[in-house]
Amino acid sequence: MLPDYAQAEVAEVQQSSVATGTVVDESGEPVYGARITVVGTKTMVLTDAQGKFKISNVRKGASLLVSYIGHKSQTVKWDGAALTIQLEESSSTLNEA
């Protein structure tokens, strides 16, 4: 039998997994280079050319912040299943110089 502190560490490792998903724009097209950050950590990845991402060692129930230039940032909760996140364009636009 493991000591209590060791059992807690094993349980934490078992609850962490790989979060996967796809980020798309309003028309359903993949978003390349969107940033996915695990809230409360320094863990961050970018989506690939197909809008896909994979983040290791994410706890089920963790919040993921999704951001991309020109779009509204979103926070989603990861429940253990693959995510599809649709970003909305930001209503604010840059003024022409």
Side-chain angles (χ1 to χ4, degrees), residues 2-20:
L2 294 172
D4 288 341
Y5 68 87
Q7 288 179 355
E9 288 178 14
V10 169
E12 185 172 329
V13 169
Q14 290 174 345
Q15 291 176 359
S16 293
S17 196
V18 177
T20 60

Side-chain angles (χ1 to χ4, degrees), residues 77-97:
K77 191 164 289 242
W78 182 63
D79 64 3
L83 297 168
T84 299
I85 302 158
Q86 186 172 33
L87 295 179
E88 293 180 34
E89 284 189 36
S90 177
S91 58
S92 62
T93 58
L94 296 176
N95 294 328
E96 291 184 30

